[in-house]
């Protein structure tokens, strides 16, 4: 019940069923799956996700065990174990090439010890990136007239990509704006009616199309430029 009060899910009964199922089988799961279960209890933008991160870090940092005896007595998270978890978060959504680009930003050396702040940053980046990717997929369907089998017009896609790029660089090009003001201005520029107005001004349709993979990759390349590299 404390978990229920703490996480405040939208569907309490479903949350309890999934939670007790995961707890009853936790002894059968390796620490990667147990960690992932904890991280998926609540969305990354909810305050309770922060405490779930702490619990997840404790689990993933447990010593390796072989049956009942630990293989080593020193707890800690190494880079290879950390990256295995990141792969589990992203594998169902990203292609290998896109995941490689993200890993160059948030990955660690295989035998490097990963502190909590790096773990927190990397895991959060993965969940944010997955959500961003989902939004981009939905956007492409919209640009292709709501038909998943259709290709979107290249000129329309390039207009949206350019708009997105300009919006992300808003704070850099306007140093007098505060961060909050820049975010508000960016939100305004990405309003559906503003984007629609830009699309109506597009007069370069020559029959060329852009497939979904290219559209997603171009947007993600712009997005990942704003992800700080772990040093």
């Amino acid at each position: 019940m404390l978990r229920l009060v703490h996480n405040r899910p939208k569907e309490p009964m479903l949350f309890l069923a999934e939670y007790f199922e995961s707890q009853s089988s936790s002894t059968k799961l390796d620490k990667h799956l147990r960690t992932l279960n904890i991280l998926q209890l609540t969305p990354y933008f909810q305050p309770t996700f922060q405490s779930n991160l702490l619990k997840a870090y404790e689990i993933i940092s447990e010593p390796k065990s072989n049956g009942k005896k630990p293989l080593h007595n020193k707890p800690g998270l190494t880079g290879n174990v950390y990256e295995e978890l990141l792969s589990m978060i992203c594998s169902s959504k990203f292609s290998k090439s896109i995941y490689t680009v993200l890993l160059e930003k948030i990955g660690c050396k295989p035998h490097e010890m990963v502190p909590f702040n790096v773990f927190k940053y990397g895991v959060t980046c993965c969940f944010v990136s997955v959500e961003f990717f989902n939004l981009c997929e939905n956007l492409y369907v919209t640009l292709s007239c709501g038909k998943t089998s259709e290709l979107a017009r290249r000129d329309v896609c390039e207009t949206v990509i350019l708009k997105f790029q300009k919006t992300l660089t808003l704070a850099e090009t306007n140093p007098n704006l505060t961060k909050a003001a820049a975010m508000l201005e960016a939100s305004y520029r990405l309003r559906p009616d503003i984007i629609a107005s830009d699309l109506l001004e597009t007069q370069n349709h020559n029959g060329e199309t852009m497939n979904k993979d290219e559209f997603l990759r171009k947007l993600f390349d712009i997005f990942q430029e704003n992800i700080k590299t772990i040093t």
Side-chain angles (χ1 to χ4, degrees):
M1 293 305 294
L2 286 176
R3 280 288 179 186
L4 179 62
V5 173
H6 183 65
N7 290 283
R8 297 182 180 179
K10 291 183 178 179
E11 299 183 24
M13 297 307 295
L14 179 61
F15 173 87
L16 285 174
E18 292 177 347
Y19 176 75
F20 285 123
E21 181 179 359
S22 67
Q23 291 300 300
S24 63
S25 58
S26 62
T27 56
K28 300 177 183 179
L29 300 177
D30 66 18
K31 62 181 181 180
H32 291 81
L33 290 176
R34 289 162 54 209
T35 301
L36 191 58
N37 284 340
I38 291 294
L39 292 173
Q40 292 177 333
L41 286 175
T42 54
Y44 70 88
F45 49 81
Q46 290 191 1
T48 50
F49 182 74
Q50 302 305 311
S51 57
N52 289 346
L53 275 169
L54 285 169
K55 179 62 177 178
Y57 185 72
E58 290 177 3
I59 294 173
I60 200 69
S61 301
E62 291 174 354
K64 291 182 179 179
S65 61
N66 184 7
K68 296 182 179 179
K69 296 182 179 180
L71 295 179
H72 61 78
N73 295 321
K74 294 182 179 180
L77 176 59
T78 59
N80 58 343
V81 175
Y82 164 72
E83 289 190 1
E84 286 171 0
L85 176 65
L86 299 186
S87 178
M88 291 175 69
I89 297 172
C90 300
S91 60
S92 63
K93 181 56 62 176
F94 296 154
S95 64
K96 184 178 180 180
S97 60
I98 288 181
Y99 176 65
T100 300
V101 171
L102 180 61
L103 201 60
E104 289 175 355
K105 294 275 189 174
I106 61 175
C108 294
K109 296 178 181 179
H111 301 293
E112 180 182 0
M113 298 306 295
V114 181
F116 174 72
N117 64 316
V118 172
F119 170 82
K120 174 183 176 180
Y121 178 74
V123 168
T124 304
C125 280
C126 282
F127 280 111
V128 172
S129 298
V130 168
E131 182 180 25
F132 173 76
F133 209 76
N134 288 333
L135 292 172
C136 290
E137 284 186 322
N138 293 334
L139 177 58
Y140 184 82
V141 172
T142 301
L143 297 179
S144 57
C145 302
K147 300 177 181 179
T148 55
S149 60
E150 295 290 332
L151 294 176
R153 284 171 46 179
R154 176 169 292 275
D155 59 326
V156 171
C157 290
E158 289 178 345
T159 298
V160 172
I161 291 169
L162 181 60
K163 190 74 172 179
F164 177 67
Q165 185 175 31
K166 288 182 177 179
T167 300
L168 284 186
T169 57
L170 181 64
E172 298 176 5
T173 57
N174 293 273
N176 293 327
L177 285 178
T178 64
K179 186 175 181 180
M183 291 178 65
L184 287 173
E185 179 65 19
S187 299
Y188 174 79
R189 293 190 181 191
L190 286 176
R191 282 169 46 193
D193 58 323
I194 298 295
I195 293 179
S197 177
D198 289 344
L199 295 179
L200 288 174
E201 295 175 2
T202 302
Q203 302 293 336
N204 300 320
H205 183 43
N206 54 10
E208 293 186 4
T209 59
M210 182 182 293
N211 63 42
K212 184 174 74 171
D213 290 341
E214 181 183 356
F215 179 74
L216 296 178
R217 181 57 190 262
K218 286 189 173 184
L219 282 176
F220 193 81
D221 283 346
I222 297 170
F223 173 79
Q224 62 86 23
E225 290 176 1
N226 290 268
I227 298 177
K228 294 182 179 179
T229 302
I230 292 176
T231 57

